Amino acid sequence: TQNKCLGSSVTFSVAASGTAPITYQWKKGGADISGATSNTYSKSGLTLADEGIYTCEVTNLCRSVLSNTAELKVIQLSANAGIDDRICNGQGTTLSASAGSNHPAESGNYTYSWTPTIGLSSANIFNPNAAPTVTTDYTVQTTDQIGCTATDVVNVLVQNVFQNEE
């Protein structure tokens, strides 16, 4: 069983011994995977459609055996940096990020990293205080325990008293 991030790669392998010739046929959900006839099967650019149960049918002149099953879970992480905000120069606001996963148990806890860090009380928490002196787009990157990431942006519009007035 493997947990992989959306867009990443996976490799499954099987070891077999017996009288040659030995052939291999990888299967997903019991159906043959076209062209997957080696003792390893690799797939890059994983999508949610790649999730499933994988096995390999190993055959020689005497018989065929099916490998143990291996489950592939493709983790799709989402990040939400919160809603855009408007403040007056000299004031602050609290940013509030959140994260989610299609496999929360596998993703576990999340870490947060905000950029730019100018005007932030902390760059590594989900809810830093922000007091920028100019309008700023803050980007949060959320990472789960597997290493999957997602980003989102929130805008803090800074206005000056009597801005654009004479």
Side-chain angles (χ1 to χ4, degrees), residues 41-80:
Y41 172 67
S42 296
K43 177 103 170 81
S44 59
L46 292 174
T47 68
L48 295 178
D50 294 316
E51 282 195 335
I53 304 295
Y54 289 80
T55 55
C56 185
E57 183 177 27
V58 181
T59 305
N60 71 0
L61 294 175
C62 297
R63 68 182 187 143
S64 293
V65 294
L66 200 59
S67 71
N68 293 336
T69 61
E71 183 177 9
L72 173 62
K73 292 182 181 178
V74 179
I75 308 298
Q76 182 177 30
L77 204 60
S78 63
N80 184 339

mmCIF file of all heavy atoms in Angstrom, residues 41-80:
data_model
loop_
_atom_site.group_PDB
_atom_site.id
_atom_site.type_symbol
_atom_site.label_atom_id
_atom_site.label_comp_id
_atom_site.label_asym_id
_atom_site.label_seq_id
_atom_site.Cartn_x
_atom_site.Cartn_y
_atom_site.Cartn_z
ATOM 1 N N TYR A 41 5.975 -1.827 -12.136
ATOM 2 C CA TYR A 41 4.999 -0.979 -12.815
ATOM 3 C C TYR A 41 5.129 0.415 -12.222
ATOM 4 O O TYR A 41 5.029 0.596 -11.008
ATOM 5 C CB TYR A 41 3.567 -1.494 -12.629
ATOM 6 C CG TYR A 41 2.537 -0.537 -13.162
ATOM 7 C CD1 TYR A 41 2.437 -0.282 -14.527
ATOM 8 C CD2 TYR A 41 1.671 0.139 -12.308
ATOM 9 C CE1 TYR A 41 1.504 0.615 -15.022
ATOM 10 C CE2 TYR A 41 0.737 1.035 -12.791
ATOM 11 C CZ TYR A 41 0.662 1.274 -14.149
ATOM 12 O OH TYR A 41 -0.264 2.172 -14.632
ATOM 13 N N SER A 42 5.392 1.399 -13.088
ATOM 14 C CA SER A 42 5.539 2.788 -12.660
ATOM 15 C C SER A 42 4.518 3.657 -13.365
ATOM 16 O O SER A 42 4.185 3.422 -14.528
ATOM 17 C CB SER A 42 6.944 3.310 -12.971
ATOM 18 O OG SER A 42 7.908 2.600 -12.239
ATOM 19 N N LYS A 43 4.055 4.666 -12.650
ATOM 20 C CA LYS A 43 3.103 5.615 -13.212
ATOM 21 C C LYS A 43 3.452 6.980 -12.670
ATOM 22 O O LYS A 43 3.653 7.157 -11.475
ATOM 23 C CB LYS A 43 1.677 5.232 -12.792
ATOM 24 C CG LYS A 43 0.592 6.167 -13.256
ATOM 25 C CD LYS A 43 -0.143 5.580 -14.422
ATOM 26 C CE LYS A 43 -1.402 6.349 -14.779
ATOM 27 N NZ LYS A 43 -1.233 7.509 -15.567
ATOM 28 N N SER A 44 3.559 7.962 -13.566
ATOM 29 C CA SER A 44 3.830 9.334 -13.133
ATOM 30 C C SER A 44 2.616 10.201 -13.418
ATOM 31 O O SER A 44 1.711 9.795 -14.136
ATOM 32 C CB SER A 44 5.068 9.882 -13.851
ATOM 33 O OG SER A 44 4.867 9.864 -15.246
ATOM 34 N N GLY A 45 2.606 11.394 -12.852
ATOM 35 C CA GLY A 45 1.476 12.295 -13.031
ATOM 36 C C GLY A 45 0.181 11.728 -12.481
ATOM 37 O O GLY A 45 -0.863 11.778 -13.127
ATOM 38 N N LEU A 46 0.252 11.194 -11.265
ATOM 39 C CA LEU A 46 -0.909 10.518 -10.676
ATOM 40 C C LEU A 46 -2.137 11.428 -10.595
ATOM 41 O O LEU A 46 -2.034 12.603 -10.235
ATOM 42 C CB LEU A 46 -0.579 10.007 -9.279
ATOM 43 C CG LEU A 46 0.429 8.863 -9.207
ATOM 44 C CD1 LEU A 46 0.777 8.542 -7.763
ATOM 45 C CD2 LEU A 46 -0.105 7.630 -9.921
ATOM 46 N N THR A 47 -3.293 10.848 -10.914
ATOM 47 C CA THR A 47 -4.576 11.517 -10.780
ATOM 48 C C THR A 47 -5.432 10.710 -9.807
ATOM 49 O O THR A 47 -5.077 9.582 -9.437
ATOM 50 C CB THR A 47 -5.309 11.615 -12.136
ATOM 51 O OG1 THR A 47 -5.690 10.300 -12.553
ATOM 52 C CG2 THR A 47 -4.423 12.263 -13.197
ATOM 53 N N LEU A 48 -6.561 11.274 -9.432
ATOM 54 C CA LEU A 48 -7.459 10.554 -8.527
ATOM 55 C C LEU A 48 -7.958 9.260 -9.164
ATOM 56 O O LEU A 48 -8.250 8.288 -8.459
ATOM 57 C CB LEU A 48 -8.633 11.441 -8.116
ATOM 58 C CG LEU A 48 -8.260 12.681 -7.291
ATOM 59 C CD1 LEU A 48 -9.499 13.510 -6.987
ATOM 60 C CD2 LEU A 48 -7.552 12.291 -6.004
ATOM 61 N N ALA A 49 -8.029 9.217 -10.486
ATOM 62 C CA ALA A 49 -8.478 8.007 -11.177
ATOM 63 C C ALA A 49 -7.494 6.853 -11.025
ATOM 64 O O ALA A 49 -7.849 5.697 -11.272
ATOM 65 C CB ALA A 49 -8.694 8.304 -12.657
ATOM 66 N N ASP A 50 -6.253 7.145 -10.614
ATOM 67 C CA ASP A 50 -5.249 6.091 -10.438
ATOM 68 C C ASP A 50 -5.391 5.362 -9.106
ATOM 69 O O ASP A 50 -4.743 4.340 -8.890
ATOM 70 C CB ASP A 50 -3.834 6.672 -10.561
ATOM 71 C CG ASP A 50 -3.554 7.179 -11.966
ATOM 72 O OD1 ASP A 50 -3.901 6.466 -12.929
ATOM 73 O OD2 ASP A 50 -3.007 8.293 -12.095
ATOM 74 N N GLU A 51 -6.222 5.880 -8.205
ATOM 75 C CA GLU A 51 -6.442 5.182 -6.934
ATOM 76 C C GLU A 51 -7.024 3.800 -7.201
ATOM 77 O O GLU A 51 -7.788 3.613 -8.147
ATOM 78 C CB GLU A 51 -7.430 5.956 -6.054
ATOM 79 C CG GLU A 51 -6.839 7.120 -5.356
ATOM 80 C CD GLU A 51 -7.722 7.626 -4.226
ATOM 81 O OE1 GLU A 51 -8.952 7.437 -4.235
ATOM 82 O OE2 GLU A 51 -7.151 8.212 -3.314
ATOM 83 N N GLY A 52 -6.646 2.841 -6.373
ATOM 84 C CA GLY A 52 -7.232 1.519 -6.512
ATOM 85 C C GLY A 52 -6.353 0.429 -5.961
ATOM 86 O O GLY A 52 -5.335 0.678 -5.308
ATOM 87 N N ILE A 53 -6.765 -0.800 -6.248
ATOM 88 C CA ILE A 53 -6.057 -2.000 -5.804
ATOM 89 C C ILE A 53 -5.268 -2.559 -6.990
ATOM 90 O O ILE A 53 -5.839 -2.825 -8.048
ATOM 91 C CB ILE A 53 -7.044 -3.068 -5.271
ATOM 92 C CG1 ILE A 53 -7.908 -2.494 -4.144
ATOM 93 C CG2 ILE A 53 -6.296 -4.327 -4.837
ATOM 94 C CD1 ILE A 53 -7.156 -2.098 -2.894
ATOM 95 N N TYR A 54 -3.974 -2.735 -6.789
ATOM 96 C CA TYR A 54 -3.084 -3.232 -7.837
ATOM 97 C C TYR A 54 -2.578 -4.626 -7.473
ATOM 98 O O TYR A 54 -2.296 -4.909 -6.304
ATOM 99 C CB TYR A 54 -1.896 -2.287 -8.014
ATOM 100 C CG TYR A 54 -2.278 -0.966 -8.651
ATOM 101 C CD1 TYR A 54 -2.851 0.052 -7.906
ATOM 102 C CD2 TYR A 54 -2.072 -0.752 -10.003
ATOM 103 C CE1 TYR A 54 -3.215 1.259 -8.488
ATOM 104 C CE2 TYR A 54 -2.431 0.445 -10.604
ATOM 105 C CZ TYR A 54 -3.007 1.447 -9.840
ATOM 106 O OH TYR A 54 -3.368 2.627 -10.433
ATOM 107 N N THR A 55 -2.475 -5.487 -8.492
ATOM 108 C CA THR A 55 -1.888 -6.817 -8.348
ATOM 109 C C THR A 55 -1.087 -7.112 -9.606
ATOM 110 O O THR A 55 -1.203 -6.401 -10.610
ATOM 111 C CB THR A 55 -2.980 -7.916 -8.198
ATOM 112 O OG1 THR A 55 -3.866 -7.829 -9.308
ATOM 113 C CG2 THR A 55 -3.737 -7.779 -6.891
ATOM 114 N N CYS A 56 -0.283 -8.161 -9.525
ATOM 115 C CA CYS A 56 0.463 -8.612 -10.694
ATOM 116 C C CYS A 56 0.252 -10.117 -10.850
ATOM 117 O O CYS A 56 0.439 -10.879 -9.891
ATOM 118 C CB CYS A 56 1.946 -8.301 -10.552
ATOM 119 S SG CYS A 56 2.902 -8.713 -12.042
ATOM 120 N N GLU A 57 -0.136 -10.525 -12.053
ATOM 121 C CA GLU A 57 -0.267 -11.944 -12.370
ATOM 122 C C GLU A 57 1.047 -12.410 -12.980
ATOM 123 O O GLU A 57 1.491 -11.877 -13.992
ATOM 124 C CB GLU A 57 -1.412 -12.182 -13.344
ATOM 125 C CG GLU A 57 -1.637 -13.651 -13.637
ATOM 126 C CD GLU A 57 -2.830 -13.877 -14.545
ATOM 127 O OE1 GLU A 57 -3.172 -12.980 -15.347
ATOM 128 O OE2 GLU A 57 -3.426 -14.961 -14.442
ATOM 129 N N VAL A 58 1.681 -13.378 -12.307
ATOM 130 C CA VAL A 58 2.979 -13.906 -12.739
ATOM 131 C C VAL A 58 2.735 -15.312 -13.310
ATOM 132 O O VAL A 58 2.118 -16.150 -12.655
ATOM 133 C CB VAL A 58 3.975 -13.961 -11.563
ATOM 134 C CG1 VAL A 58 5.333 -14.483 -12.035
ATOM 135 C CG2 VAL A 58 4.121 -12.579 -10.913
ATOM 136 N N THR A 59 3.245 -15.539 -14.521
ATOM 137 C CA THR A 59 2.959 -16.793 -15.223
ATOM 138 C C THR A 59 4.239 -17.394 -15.767
ATOM 139 O O THR A 59 5.118 -16.678 -16.257
ATOM 140 C CB THR A 59 1.989 -16.527 -16.399
ATOM 141 O OG1 THR A 59 0.822 -15.876 -15.898
ATOM 142 C CG2 THR A 59 1.601 -17.813 -17.101
ATOM 143 N N ASN A 60 4.339 -18.747 -15.669
ATOM 144 C CA ASN A 60 5.357 -19.481 -16.416
ATOM 145 C C ASN A 60 4.653 -20.648 -17.097
ATOM 146 O O ASN A 60 3.419 -20.701 -17.133
ATOM 147 C CB ASN A 60 6.551 -19.889 -15.537
ATOM 148 C CG ASN A 60 6.233 -20.980 -14.552
ATOM 149 O OD1 ASN A 60 5.114 -21.482 -14.488
ATOM 150 N ND2 ASN A 60 7.226 -21.353 -13.752
ATOM 151 N N LEU A 61 5.407 -21.587 -17.630
ATOM 152 C CA LEU A 61 4.789 -22.696 -18.366
ATOM 153 C C LEU A 61 3.899 -23.573 -17.492
ATOM 154 O O LEU A 61 2.986 -24.229 -17.992
ATOM 155 C CB LEU A 61 5.873 -23.554 -19.021
ATOM 156 C CG LEU A 61 6.677 -22.864 -20.126
ATOM 157 C CD1 LEU A 61 7.801 -23.774 -20.595
ATOM 158 C CD2 LEU A 61 5.782 -22.466 -21.282
ATOM 159 N N CYS A 62 4.158 -23.593 -16.189
ATOM 160 C CA CYS A 62 3.436 -24.498 -15.290
ATOM 161 C C CYS A 62 2.155 -23.905 -14.716
ATOM 162 O O CYS A 62 1.155 -24.609 -14.560
ATOM 163 C CB CYS A 62 4.346 -24.940 -14.155
ATOM 164 S SG CYS A 62 5.778 -25.883 -14.741
ATOM 165 N N ARG A 63 2.183 -22.621 -14.331
ATOM 166 C CA ARG A 63 0.995 -22.041 -13.703
ATOM 167 C C ARG A 63 1.087 -20.525 -13.614
ATOM 168 O O ARG A 63 2.134 -19.936 -13.904
ATOM 169 C CB ARG A 63 0.747 -22.630 -12.324
ATOM 170 C CG ARG A 63 1.781 -22.251 -11.294
ATOM 171 C CD ARG A 63 1.464 -22.923 -9.960
ATOM 172 N NE ARG A 63 2.379 -22.396 -8.948
ATOM 173 C CZ ARG A 63 2.040 -22.166 -7.709
ATOM 174 N NH1 ARG A 63 0.823 -22.410 -7.304
ATOM 175 N NH2 ARG A 63 2.914 -21.713 -6.841
ATOM 176 N N SER A 64 -0.006 -19.942 -13.148
ATOM 177 C CA SER A 64 -0.081 -18.503 -12.895
ATOM 178 C C SER A 64 -0.406 -18.277 -11.432
ATOM 179 O O SER A 64 -1.197 -19.027 -10.850
ATOM 180 C CB SER A 64 -1.172 -17.848 -13.742
ATOM 181 O OG SER A 64 -0.849 -17.884 -15.097
ATOM 182 N N VAL A 65 0.189 -17.253 -10.856
ATOM 183 C CA VAL A 65 -0.137 -16.850 -9.484
ATOM 184 C C VAL A 65 -0.374 -15.347 -9.466
ATOM 185 O O VAL A 65 0.204 -14.598 -10.270
ATOM 186 C CB VAL A 65 0.967 -17.226 -8.466
ATOM 187 C CG1 VAL A 65 1.091 -18.727 -8.330
ATOM 188 C CG2 VAL A 65 2.286 -16.606 -8.833
ATOM 189 N N LEU A 66 -1.217 -14.929 -8.553
ATOM 190 C CA LEU A 66 -1.520 -13.519 -8.395
ATOM 191 C C LEU A 66 -0.793 -12.995 -7.161
ATOM 192 O O LEU A 66 -0.824 -13.628 -6.107
ATOM 193 C CB LEU A 66 -3.035 -13.325 -8.247
ATOM 194 C CG LEU A 66 -3.588 -11.940 -8.524
ATOM 195 C CD1 LEU A 66 -3.272 -11.482 -9.943
ATOM 196 C CD2 LEU A 66 -5.100 -11.939 -8.308
ATOM 197 N N SER A 67 -0.141 -11.868 -7.309
ATOM 198 C CA SER A 67 0.601 -11.285 -6.188
ATOM 199 C C SER A 67 -0.353 -10.824 -5.091
ATOM 200 O O SER A 67 -1.568 -10.772 -5.279
ATOM 201 C CB SER A 67 1.409 -10.074 -6.683
ATOM 202 O OG SER A 67 0.537 -8.997 -7.000
ATOM 203 N N ASN A 68 0.238 -10.446 -3.973
ATOM 204 C CA ASN A 68 -0.524 -9.774 -2.926
ATOM 205 C C ASN A 68 -1.052 -8.457 -3.486
ATOM 206 O O ASN A 68 -0.482 -7.897 -4.421
ATOM 207 C CB ASN A 68 0.360 -9.480 -1.712
ATOM 208 C CG ASN A 68 0.798 -10.737 -1.004
ATOM 209 O OD1 ASN A 68 0.146 -11.774 -1.092
ATOM 210 N ND2 ASN A 68 1.916 -10.659 -0.303
ATOM 211 N N THR A 69 -2.113 -7.957 -2.900
ATOM 212 C CA THR A 69 -2.670 -6.682 -3.357
ATOM 213 C C THR A 69 -1.900 -5.517 -2.753
ATOM 214 O O THR A 69 -1.340 -5.622 -1.652
ATOM 215 C CB THR A 69 -4.157 -6.550 -2.973
ATOM 216 O OG1 THR A 69 -4.258 -6.596 -1.551
ATOM 217 C CG2 THR A 69 -4.992 -7.651 -3.610
ATOM 218 N N ALA A 70 -1.882 -4.436 -3.495
ATOM 219 C CA ALA A 70 -1.286 -3.184 -3.020
ATOM 220 C C ALA A 70 -2.271 -2.071 -3.328
ATOM 221 O O ALA A 70 -2.696 -1.907 -4.480
ATOM 222 C CB ALA A 70 0.050 -2.923 -3.700
ATOM 223 N N GLU A 71 -2.659 -1.325 -2.303
ATOM 224 C CA GLU A 71 -3.611 -0.232 -2.506
ATOM 225 C C GLU A 71 -2.858 1.068 -2.730
ATOM 226 O O GLU A 71 -1.904 1.382 -2.015
ATOM 227 C CB GLU A 71 -4.538 -0.086 -1.298
ATOM 228 C CG GLU A 71 -5.582 0.994 -1.497
ATOM 229 C CD GLU A 71 -6.555 1.109 -0.339
ATOM 230 O OE1 GLU A 71 -6.344 0.476 0.707
ATOM 231 O OE2 GLU A 71 -7.545 1.851 -0.491
ATOM 232 N N LEU A 72 -3.298 1.826 -3.721
ATOM 233 C CA LEU A 72 -2.751 3.158 -3.978
ATOM 234 C C LEU A 72 -3.797 4.191 -3.608
ATOM 235 O O LEU A 72 -4.932 4.146 -4.103
ATOM 236 C CB LEU A 72 -2.372 3.321 -5.456
ATOM 237 C CG LEU A 72 -1.949 4.736 -5.875
ATOM 238 C CD1 LEU A 72 -0.688 5.175 -5.125
ATOM 239 C CD2 LEU A 72 -1.744 4.808 -7.372
ATOM 240 N N LYS A 73 -3.416 5.105 -2.709
ATOM 241 C CA LYS A 73 -4.264 6.239 -2.364
ATOM 242 C C LYS A 73 -3.561 7.493 -2.883
ATOM 243 O O LYS A 73 -2.394 7.717 -2.580
ATOM 244 C CB LYS A 73 -4.478 6.339 -0.855
ATOM 245 C CG LYS A 73 -5.317 5.198 -0.308
ATOM 246 C CD LYS A 73 -5.552 5.347 1.177
ATOM 247 C CE LYS A 73 -6.381 4.179 1.706
ATOM 248 N NZ LYS A 73 -6.594 4.275 3.156
ATOM 249 N N VAL A 74 -4.286 8.280 -3.669
ATOM 250 C CA VAL A 74 -3.751 9.526 -4.218
ATOM 251 C C VAL A 74 -4.312 10.668 -3.382
ATOM 252 O O VAL A 74 -5.529 10.872 -3.332
ATOM 253 C CB VAL A 74 -4.112 9.692 -5.708
ATOM 254 C CG1 VAL A 74 -3.571 11.010 -6.245
ATOM 255 C CG2 VAL A 74 -3.564 8.517 -6.520
ATOM 256 N N ILE A 75 -3.416 11.383 -2.727
ATOM 257 C CA ILE A 75 -3.805 12.437 -1.786
ATOM 258 C C ILE A 75 -3.966 13.758 -2.518
ATOM 259 O O ILE A 75 -3.035 14.248 -3.164
ATOM 260 C CB ILE A 75 -2.745 12.603 -0.670
ATOM 261 C CG1 ILE A 75 -2.423 11.258 0.000
ATOM 262 C CG2 ILE A 75 -3.187 13.655 0.343
ATOM 263 C CD1 ILE A 75 -3.562 10.580 0.687
ATOM 264 N N GLN A 76 -5.178 14.327 -2.399
ATOM 265 C CA GLN A 76 -5.436 15.659 -2.942
ATOM 266 C C GLN A 76 -5.646 16.599 -1.764
ATOM 267 O O GLN A 76 -6.615 16.470 -1.015
ATOM 268 C CB GLN A 76 -6.663 15.658 -3.848
ATOM 269 C CG GLN A 76 -6.938 17.013 -4.460
ATOM 270 C CD GLN A 76 -8.115 16.976 -5.421
ATOM 271 O OE1 GLN A 76 -9.035 16.189 -5.273
ATOM 272 N NE2 GLN A 76 -8.074 17.844 -6.403
ATOM 273 N N LEU A 77 -4.722 17.528 -1.601
ATOM 274 C CA LEU A 77 -4.763 18.485 -0.502
ATOM 275 C C LEU A 77 -5.374 19.789 -1.003
ATOM 276 O O LEU A 77 -5.168 20.170 -2.156
ATOM 277 C CB LEU A 77 -3.337 18.727 -0.011
ATOM 278 C CG LEU A 77 -3.132 19.209 1.409
ATOM 279 C CD1 LEU A 77 -3.702 18.220 2.409
ATOM 280 C CD2 LEU A 77 -1.657 19.405 1.680
ATOM 281 N N SER A 78 -6.129 20.453 -0.145
ATOM 282 C CA SER A 78 -6.664 21.774 -0.475
ATOM 283 C C SER A 78 -6.278 22.752 0.621
ATOM 284 O O SER A 78 -6.128 22.370 1.784
ATOM 285 C CB SER A 78 -8.184 21.721 -0.635
ATOM 286 O OG SER A 78 -8.783 21.360 0.588
ATOM 287 N N ALA A 79 -6.086 24.002 0.222
ATOM 288 C CA ALA A 79 -5.752 25.062 1.177
ATOM 289 C C ALA A 79 -6.727 26.210 0.990
ATOM 290 O O ALA A 79 -7.158 26.496 -0.132
ATOM 291 C CB ALA A 79 -4.322 25.552 0.962
ATOM 292 N N ASN A 80 -7.059 26.866 2.085
ATOM 293 C CA ASN A 80 -7.914 28.038 2.048
ATOM 294 C C ASN A 80 -7.272 29.094 2.939
ATOM 295 O O ASN A 80 -7.127 28.888 4.143
ATOM 296 C CB ASN A 80 -9.320 27.701 2.539
ATOM 297 C CG ASN A 80 -10.267 28.870 2.437
ATOM 298 O OD1 ASN A 80 -9.864 30.026 2.373
ATOM 299 N ND2 ASN A 80 -11.557 28.571 2.432
#
